[in-house]
Amino acid sequence: MTTTPTAHDTAPAASGGGWRAPAAAGTTVILWASAFVSIRSAGEAYSPGALALGRLLAGTLTLGAILLVRREGLPSRAAWPGVIGSGLLWFGLYMVVLNWGEQQVDAGTAAMIVNVGPILMALLGAWLLGEGLPRRLLTGMAVSFAGAVIVGLSMSGHGSSSVLGVLLCLLAALAYAGGVVIQKPALRHGSPLQITTFGCLIGTVACLPFTGVLVSEAADAPVSATLNMIYLGVFPTALAFTTWAYALARTTAGRMGATTYAVPAVVVLMSWLLLDEVPAPLTVVGGLICLAGVAVSRTRARSRGAVDGPAVAADPPDGGLR
């Protein structure tokens, strides 16, 4: 059965449901932060392509089961360009090159480079989606990026870096930003679950050339590494990408990108609590700056009326789709 949500179906709930989009974004941030801990374990036993394919397979199976239970079917034809584009760029290319890049550079360097992604996302959203660049968003992203650089610098120097690794992380940032901006219009023509499910499926198909490597490495991998790979597919992929799509449908790509600057701060906290890795004071400062920037980017400027004239680029209401 094919169910194509109408504009009413995909719009956020009326007043009283305004907490859902921030809650969805927060869920995404926490689960994506947890992914760094799992990738560290799974990446020791699985190569970049095999890890991406295993993660995507687990995510596709989980999302497919939920889609069947909910009987949502296929999104409309108009959604497919965005589904295919985001599936190839974000679910496919991004996951492979990020896994590969993180093997070539230290964690701090990778974090600094990949955090260019939200800035590219805001610029692409303004250029391709007409979202504008509100001053508060730009200010918040600048503050958060400075915090991400501080976190990265505090973590750097404990591994080797290569030109290839830097280029791979830059490619990951481009794929991430491009995939999100391509996904945004598709959410007008399908539910977050539909867009995420079939995007994940497209990414899985794109990674099928790594099937032989995955099977070979799975035979020798410790159970903990395989369980971490499955966790990555079920939670940071299936659940977190769906909550991301839900929130993205209700705000701009730039705002959602700025929200992900909370991830480094959450990673620092999780590493402290779960891995007993006590963060350096500079790392804590950087994480707090990241959170401060996110707070600034998520606030709205009060209307100044006719005295100051119209805003340069006002944010659309959270319920609006561009």
Side-chain angles (χ1 to χ4, degrees):
M1 184 179 81
T2 301
T3 303
T4 303
T6 63
H8 174 74
D9 295 330
T10 56
S15 60
W19 58 270
R20 294 192 181 102
T27 299
T28 298
V29 165
I30 292 172
L31 290 176
W32 281 356
S34 75
F36 284 87
V37 178
S38 293
I39 288 174
R40 185 176 304 179
S41 171
E44 293 178 355
Y46 290 97
S47 58
L51 177 57
L53 176 58
R55 175 179 179 175
L56 288 167
L57 280 171
T60 298
L61 291 173
T62 302
L63 289 164
I66 297 172
L67 194 76
L68 288 175
V69 170
R70 291 179 58 85
R71 299 183 180 181
E72 290 199 17
L74 298 170
S76 69
R77 184 179 302 175
W80 281 97
V83 170
I84 294 172
S86 63
L88 292 174
L89 283 177
W90 196 11
F91 289 90
L93 180 62
Y94 169 77
M95 290 193 182
V96 174
V97 297
L98 181 62
N99 291 342
W100 189 6
E102 288 190 356
Q103 291 184 354
Q104 303 292 318
V105 300
D106 60 70
T109 301
M112 285 188 289
I113 297 172
V114 173
N115 272 309
V116 172
I119 297 174
L120 297 175
M121 197 184 304
L123 294 174
L124 289 173
W127 177 35
L128 299 176
L129 304 179
E131 292 182 347
L133 291 170
R135 282 187 292 271
R136 284 177 179 262
L137 174 61
L138 291 175
T139 301
M141 294 187 81
V143 172
S144 287
F145 184 71
V149 169
I150 292 173
V151 171
L153 289 173
S154 69
M155 296 168 59
S156 296
H158 303 291
S160 60
S161 297
S162 69
V163 174
L164 175 61
V166 170
L167 292 176
L168 287 169
C169 289
L170 279 174
L171 181 57
L174 284 168
Y176 164 42
V180 170
V181 172
I182 290 172
Q183 183 190 60
K184 170 74 174 175
L187 290 165
R188 299 191 186 109
H189 308 288
S191 72
L193 178 60
Q194 289 174 322
I195 302 305
T196 305
T197 300
F198 291 102
C200 192
L201 176 61
I202 294 295
T204 303
V205 172
C207 290
L208 284 179
F210 299 107
T211 301
V213 180
L214 174 61
V215 172
S216 174
E217 292 178 350
D220 299 322
V223 174
S224 60
T226 301
L227 289 176
N228 272 295
M229 181 172 65
I230 294 172
Y231 170 83
L232 287 168
V234 176
F235 293 98
T237 302
L239 178 55
F241 275 72
T242 302
T243 53
W244 166 276
Y246 178 89
L248 180 62
R250 288 152 174 82
T251 188
T252 65
R255 274 176 169 264
M256 280 302 293
T259 302
T260 63
Y261 276 121
V263 171
V266 179
V267 170
V268 170
L269 180 61
M270 285 187 170
S271 297
W272 187 9
L273 296 177
L274 301 178
L275 301 179
D276 200 27
E277 295 179 354
V278 180
L282 188 60
T283 305
V284 175
V285 171
L288 292 175
I289 292 175
C290 285
L291 294 177
V294 171
V296 171
S297 69
R298 299 294 299 182
T299 58
R300 298 181 183 281
R302 286 178 289 184
S303 175
R304 299 180 181 178
V307 176
D308 294 338
V312 174
D315 291 331
D318 282 345
L321 294 178
R322 286 182 178 265

